[in-house]
Amino acid sequence: MANRRKFLQTSLAGSLAILGAKTGFTSGDQKVVGKPIVISTWDAGLEANKGAWAVLSTGGRALDAVEAGVNITEASKNCCVGLGANPDRDGFVTLDACIMDEAFNCGSVAFLERIKHPVSVARRVMEKTPHVMLVGEGAQKFAIAEGFPLEDGKLSDDAKRAYDSWLKKSDYKPAINIENQKGHGPFAPAILENGEWNHDTIGMVAMDAKGNLSGSCTTSGMGFKMRGRLGDSPIIGAGLYVDNEVGAVTATGQGEDVIRICGAHMVVEFMRNGLTPEAACRKAVERVVKIKGAKVKDIQVAFLALNKKGQIGAFSVHQGFSYAVRSSKEEKLYASKSWFNK
Ligand code: ASP
């Protein structure tokens, strides 16, 4: 733990400096970016936004954009999203994802194994079943019936190495914001020199040229989680929520603490009551802080929001949460403000 705190003190300042250099400013909060627009979590969002932007910039629907965008991350080599990601403590990669459109239609899959694009299966759940959520074997069966190939289930080389190293100590200690440490972003090798492994997610929300909102969220969840553990990412209202009258919100970080407060839904409701996206995200973070007490120093939770006016905002418990924005005016990575560095 001491190591991790030291890491936080030293590397977060560094990663913000990097973000500052990339963006020229530290926060995009309260900016009205307008439409169409897509925003997504962490540095991986820059690549994912490209996929979404191909849809949005040609007049496409926000729902198609948020699926296409996160499909890129799901197919990429990274520690924390898609089949190349970190396994559970039994050595299996299990994936969680959800998607929501402008009309409260939503779909979700959880504990899904050997399927490359969980968010696309979630969309089929939304469009082709009377249900919102399918899990485990049933979700996999549904995916196969829908024509998704069953992949081989082998761990990627990086994941295998990380798992073997984890087995030696069998100790789960997620490190905060490792996504932004140089060389260890979502597209970098998954294992750290010190053998630690992080959890991460891509969450994306978008508004299309017609002004309709949609969102998606996909992850492998916590590395070395207990088998069967679900985080917030596949849970509508926790990892993602969209209300087309108000705004769209996604979450990342310690899923248990997002679930506890119905995080994404809470942020939407704060916006409904008049708060800007940043203020709404901040209020939800403050709720987490209040509930966790002293333990909050050990967790990261971050919210990312877009309102109907095209304003964006984010807030996190710890420094170091980045998010990517793409619109006709900009393609940028921003650093969120945080509770520990107000
Ligand atoms: N929220 C995800 C989960 O708890 C992981 C993350 O975003 O870091 O599964």
Side-chain angles (χ1 to χ4, degrees):
M1 199 51 74
N3 275 347
R4 196 166 119 211
R5 255 181 246 129
K6 192 163 163 239
F7 158 76
L8 276 173
Q9 280 155 10
T10 53
S11 77
L12 293 184
S15 52
L16 270 188
I18 292 164
L19 285 172
K22 277 189 209 166
T23 62
F25 45 89
T26 56
S27 169
D29 298 322
Q30 314 316 338
K31 262 176 88 124
V32 178
V33 183
K35 63 185 181 193
I37 176 173
V38 56
I39 58 177
S40 55
T41 55
W42 302 110
D43 298 24
L46 280 175
E47 276 307 304
N49 284 357
K50 287 182 185 160
W53 189 247
V55 177
L56 293 172
S57 60
T58 51
R61 192 178 165 201
L63 181 70
D64 295 323
V66 297
E67 181 187 4
V70 303
N71 274 170
I72 290 179
T73 323
E74 286 177 337
S76 71
K77 190 178 175 218
N78 75 72
C79 68
C80 316
V81 179
L83 287 178
N86 43 343
D88 65 17
R89 61 167 70 171
D90 290 4
F92 301 101
V93 176
T94 71
L95 301 176
D96 301 337
C98 71
I99 193 160
M100 188 161 185
D101 76 5
E102 73 284 353
F104 296 97
N105 297 305
C106 42
S108 158
V109 288
F111 195 55
L112 178 63
E113 294 177 285
R114 298 175 57 187
I115 301 288
K116 192 170 173 185
H117 287 300
V119 80
S120 298
V121 184
R123 181 165 177 178
R124 301 285 175 93
V125 172
M126 170 176 107
E127 291 177 339
K128 295 200 164 181
T129 80
H131 308 305
V132 166
M133 192 165 196
L134 290 180
V135 305
E137 193 192 330
Q140 191 192 64
K141 260 191 182 165
F142 171 73
I144 293 166
E146 284 295 310
F148 290 86
L150 186 65
E151 309 290 338
D152 66 15
K154 278 213 295 248
L155 293 185
S156 66
D157 291 346
D158 287 334
K160 174 91 176 63
R161 237 177 308 128
Y163 182 54
D164 289 345
S165 137
W166 178 81
L167 280 177
K168 282 185 202 137
K169 49 179 187 162
S170 298
D171 191 14
Y172 179 67
K173 283 185 191 154
I176 301 170
N177 291 332
I178 274 172
E179 302 83 358
N180 290 338
Q181 200 181 16
K182 194 167 178 287
H184 297 295
F187 292 100
I191 191 164
L192 305 171
E193 286 90 350
N194 64 5
E196 282 194 288
W197 180 284
N198 198 34
H199 57 117
D200 187 14
T201 292
I202 182 133
M204 173 178 279
V205 292
M207 179 158 58
D208 58 31
K210 288 188 177 150
N212 283 324
L213 296 165
S214 289
S216 61
C217 192
T218 179
T219 190
S220 59
M222 286 177 166
F224 317 119
K225 60 195 174 187
M226 284 178 71
R227 186 144 177 85
R229 179 263 184 192
L230 303 184
D232 59 316
S233 305
I235 299 179
I236 299 294
L240 179 74
Y241 200 68
V242 178
D243 182 324
N244 206 40
E245 282 185 1
V246 178
V249 176
T250 189
T252 183
Q254 182 96 358
E256 284 74 4
D257 294 310
V258 177
I259 293 171
R260 250 183 261 292
I261 63 159
C262 301
H265 184 260
M266 177 182 274
V267 175
V268 167
E269 291 307 302
F270 285 143
M271 291 197 291
R272 189 192 311 283
N273 291 333
L275 294 188
T276 61
E278 181 196 322
C281 291
R282 179 179 175 147
K283 233 174 142 66
V285 163
E286 282 170 356
R287 188 72 62 88
V288 173
V289 170
K290 187 174 169 204
I291 289 169
K292 295 299 284 186
K295 288 186 190 151
V296 77
K297 68 184 185 319
D298 296 327
I299 60 140
Q300 174 65 303
V301 163
F303 296 105
L304 177 61
L306 167 66
N307 71 11
K308 197 66 180 171
K309 293 184 208 157
Q311 277 182 305
I312 58 174
F315 206 80
S316 53
V317 171
H318 289 277
Q319 255 188 337
F321 170 57
S322 56
Y323 59 98
V325 178
R326 182 83 197 249
S327 72
S328 54
K329 293 184 204 130
E330 62 184 1
E331 181 178 8
K332 276 184 179 162
L333 198 60
Y334 288 77
S336 144
K337 290 180 192 162
S338 63
W339 192 81
F340 274 104
N341 187 35
K342 281 177 277 201

